[in-house]
């Protein structure tokens, strides 16, 4: 019932290769995949003088075909390195694979790792250990490991934190403070590598948080507040602290077994009087008193009294199209559930009468009654009677009003699309990956393991025929067709077809990719390449 049908995932685009002489036994004609209206002679103008210098080819580098892709006018693939690397990203997120977005690139040779910038420039020798944390940067800094010790470099490859710690990671958005662990003690160091604050022993329950305009450090039963220059502001007795990623001006804290609320400077908003207060999400948090639950606002005022046996609070979020999604909360009394959508009113939209009510999407929330499932709208009206054997949802989708997902039985993420008249638009034996923008195409994997695209009414706009695919970004999407990486437009036409068999990762700002090439003998290596495409205004 509480399953989320669509996984979040990464964005898109692509890839390609490294210009060298033809591989033995492979002529340039091998790259001539069928491309609608393709042209080998018309290419976008690219300032190759500003491309990073290509590393030297090693003995085991694979020779790539002279022609790396066929394409429509305006699309191109530019080689940045030889095809000589192992560039398998260790990150395994499960679910939909897609094509990973990365902040930088790692290339492995002989068990050691070198790093490349987002532009594809080689930044280091092969001196780093394999990074099991993926290829992401935090606040523009990369945590790496060298000879078993952790340090931090920036996206230009410059060392910021020396490689002498058991772990190290950026601690503030400015990139001026880093949290490190050494001999089971935790410290803050600055961007000069100097220790500026002792935090606490590993396992001691210490915590360090960046707040709105300040920092807070919990150590040995004291919550210490500091200004941005790490000068002490205030100390508060504290056993536990809870700071939300989305609400940095409020600190939930406990002392003596009771919970209260502080602002980001340590001033009391609410004295510790409740048995529990959850993390804030937006302007509200769930609290507990005498084994009953209620909801507080960020000023410590009670929005809903503590009279409920359970509360599921679903905080607000802003969709990529800018539409604000208001919070809602489901309330349980006995074994029945109701729901509120205007938390400031303190009133329920629907009194407890269902076996469960889920989170509202843009238009609807799922309901469960007697083991059957249906949906209500934001006015509390039933739009789908609870007659379905599997959960009906509208949260985490971009479907138009009048359409919902219905859970399938062919695996944990199988789903279909149903309208509020009860018509099954898309059967439940599909797997749907919803786009982040409301008017965008959504990916569907059909039972015969082909990917296609549907609109936000569940109708196919690009028929399923791809072995792999990703969501659209602008006017194009990266797919795999006949074993090769391709670009398609919004009509489903292939506008670029490459010689590459896979894409490990790409940087969405620079359009540099880690691309896999497999030669005629079946040997595979990776290279970095840059994907160039025309500026279009169709989308």
């Amino acid at each position: 019932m509480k399953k989320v049908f669509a996984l979040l995932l990464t964005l898109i685009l692509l890839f390609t290769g490294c210009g060298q002489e033809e591989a033995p036994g492979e002529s340039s004609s091998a790259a001539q995949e069928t491309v609608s209206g393709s042209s080998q002679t018309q290419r976008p103008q690219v300032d190759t003088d500003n491309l990073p210098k290509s590393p030297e080819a090693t003995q085991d580098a694979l020779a790539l075909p002279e022609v790396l892709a066929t394409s429509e006018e305006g699309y191109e693939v530019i080689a940045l390195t030889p095809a000589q690397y192992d560039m398998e990203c260790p990150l395994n997120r499960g679910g939909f694979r897609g094509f990973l977005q990365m902040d930088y690139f790692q290339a492995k040779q002989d068990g050691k790792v070198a790093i490349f910038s987002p532009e594809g420039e080689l930044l280091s020798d092969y001196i780093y250990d394999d990074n099991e944390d993926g290829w992401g940067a935090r606040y523009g800094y990369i945590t790496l490991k060298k000879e078993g010790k952790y340090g931090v470099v920036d996206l230009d490859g410059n060392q910021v934190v020396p490689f002498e710690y058991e772990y190290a990671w950026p601690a503030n958005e400015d990139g001026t403070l880093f949290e490190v662990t050494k001999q089971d003690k935790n410290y803050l160091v600055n961007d000069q590598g100097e220790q500026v604050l002792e935090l606490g022993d590993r396992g001691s329950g210490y915590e360090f948080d960046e707040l709105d305009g300040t920092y807070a450090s919990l150590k040995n039963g004291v919550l210490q507040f500091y200004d941005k220059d790490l000068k002490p502001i205030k100390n508060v007795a504290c056993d536990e602290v809870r700071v939300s990623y989305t609400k940095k001006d409020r600190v939930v804290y406990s002392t003596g077994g009771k919970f209260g609320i502080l602002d980001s400077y340590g001033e009391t908003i609410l004295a510790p009087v409740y048995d529990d207060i959850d993390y804030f999400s937006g302007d509200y948090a769930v609290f507990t008193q005498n084994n009953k639950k209620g909801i507080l606002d960020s000023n410590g005022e009670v929005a809903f009294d503590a009279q409920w046996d359970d509360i599921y609070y679903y905080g607000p979020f802003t969709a990529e199209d800018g539409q604000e999604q208001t919070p809602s909360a489901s309330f349980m009394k006995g074994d029945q559930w109701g729901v509120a959508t205007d938390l400031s009113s303190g009133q329920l939209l629907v009194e407890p009468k269902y076996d469960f009510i889920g989170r509202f999407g843009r238009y609807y929330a799922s309901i469960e009654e007697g083991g059957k499932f249906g949906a209500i709208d934001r006015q509390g009206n039933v739009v789908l009677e609870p007659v379905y054997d599997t959960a009906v949802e509208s949260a985490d989708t971009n479907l138009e009003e009048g359409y919902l997902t219905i859970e399938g039985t062919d695996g944990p993420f199988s789903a279909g699309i149903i309208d509020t008249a009860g018509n099954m638009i898309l059967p439940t034996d599909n797997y749907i990956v919803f786009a982040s923008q409301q008017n965008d195409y959504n990916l569907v994997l059909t039972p015969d393991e082909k990917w296609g695209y549907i609109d936000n009414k569940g109708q196919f706009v690009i028929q399923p025929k791809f072995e792999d695919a990703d969501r659209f970004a602008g006017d194009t999407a990266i797919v795999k067709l006949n074993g090769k990486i391709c670009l398609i437009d919004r009509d489903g036409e292939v506008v670029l077809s490459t010689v590459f068999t896979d894409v490990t990762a790409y940087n969405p700002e620079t359009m540099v990719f880690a691309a896999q090439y497999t030669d005629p003998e079946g040997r595979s290596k990776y290279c970095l390449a840059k994907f160039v495409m025309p500026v279009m205004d169709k989308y």
Side-chain angles (χ1 to χ4, degrees), residues 210-215 226-229 233 248 264-265:
E210 182 178 21
L211 306 174
D212 277 359
T214 62
Y215 302 107
Y226 299 87
D227 66 16
K228 285 297 185 178
D229 295 321
I233 298 174
K248 294 290 190 180
S264 58
Y265 289 83

Side-chain angles (χ1 to χ4, degrees), residues 275-290:
D275 298 336
D276 193 25
I277 301 176
D278 206 349
Y279 287 87
F280 272 92
S281 178
D283 289 325
Y284 297 94
V286 175
F287 75 98
T288 303
Q289 186 77 325
N290 299 324

Side-chain angles (χ1 to χ4, degrees), residues 190-438:
N190 61 22
D191 51 6
Q192 305 300 310
E194 302 164 334
Q195 180 181 323
V196 293
L197 188 68
E198 183 176 336
L199 297 178
D201 296 346
R202 179 182 288 182
S204 65
Y206 88 94
E207 183 164 342
F208 178 81
D209 293 288
E210 182 178 21
L211 306 174
D212 277 359
T214 62
Y215 302 107
S217 174
L218 174 64
K219 183 176 68 170
N220 300 327
V222 177
L223 184 60
Q224 300 170 296
F225 288 83
Y226 299 87
D227 66 16
K228 285 297 185 178
D229 295 321
L230 290 178
K231 294 178 180 177
I233 298 174
K234 190 169 187 177
N235 292 344
V236 178
C238 181
D239 302 317
E240 183 182 353
V241 61
R242 297 171 181 172
V243 177
S244 168
Y245 288 110
T246 61
K247 190 68 176 173
K248 294 290 190 180
D249 62 347
R250 291 294 182 268
V251 176
V252 174
Y253 77 112
S254 72
T255 183
K258 296 294 184 179
F259 284 79
I261 305 171
L262 304 169
D263 69 12
S264 58
Y265 289 83
E267 299 299 324
T268 300
I269 300 294
L270 175 70
V273 295
Y274 292 116
D275 298 336
D276 193 25
I277 301 176
D278 206 349
Y279 287 87
F280 272 92
S281 178
D283 289 325
Y284 297 94
V286 175
F287 75 98
T288 303
Q289 186 77 325
N290 299 324
N291 293 319
K292 296 292 184 178
K293 294 190 175 184
I295 293 181
L296 293 169
D297 68 20
S298 58
N299 294 317
E301 300 294 331
V302 174
F304 288 85
D305 292 330
Q307 58 173 300
W308 307 97
D309 296 317
D310 204 357
I311 297 175
Y312 282 6
Y313 168 57
Y314 307 104
F317 68 94
T318 302
E320 286 194 11
D321 59 9
Q323 183 173 345
E324 180 75 16
Q325 303 300 294
T326 57
S328 65
S330 299
F331 296 78
M332 185 179 80
K333 182 165 286 189
D335 58 358
Q336 299 292 291
W337 288 82
V339 70
T341 53
D342 181 4
L343 301 186
S344 64
S345 72
Q347 302 295 315
L348 295 187
L349 174 70
V350 176
E351 295 294 326
K353 64 177 182 178
Y354 294 108
D355 296 341
F356 190 72
I357 300 180
R359 177 166 75 88
F360 269 94
R362 296 175 187 272
Y363 308 110
Y364 310 111
S366 60
I367 57 173
E368 181 180 356
E369 188 173 38
K372 300 290 186 178
F373 300 90
I376 60 173
D377 63 18
R378 283 187 171 270
Q379 287 71 49
N381 304 311
V382 175
V383 295
L384 270 180
E385 293 290 340
V387 297
Y388 298 95
D389 294 329
T390 55
V392 176
E393 294 280 0
S394 73
D396 302 306
T397 78
N398 67 351
L399 295 175
E400 279 191 12
E401 188 171 5
Y403 299 86
L404 305 97
T405 59
I406 181 166
E407 184 179 349
T409 57
D410 296 340
F413 301 110
S414 62
I417 294 176
I418 190 171
D419 67 17
T420 52
N423 300 308
M424 190 66 66
I425 308 300
L426 185 74
T428 60
D429 54 359
N430 291 279
Y431 169 49
I432 308 172
V433 180
F434 285 100
S436 53
Q437 297 193 45
Q438 189 173 17

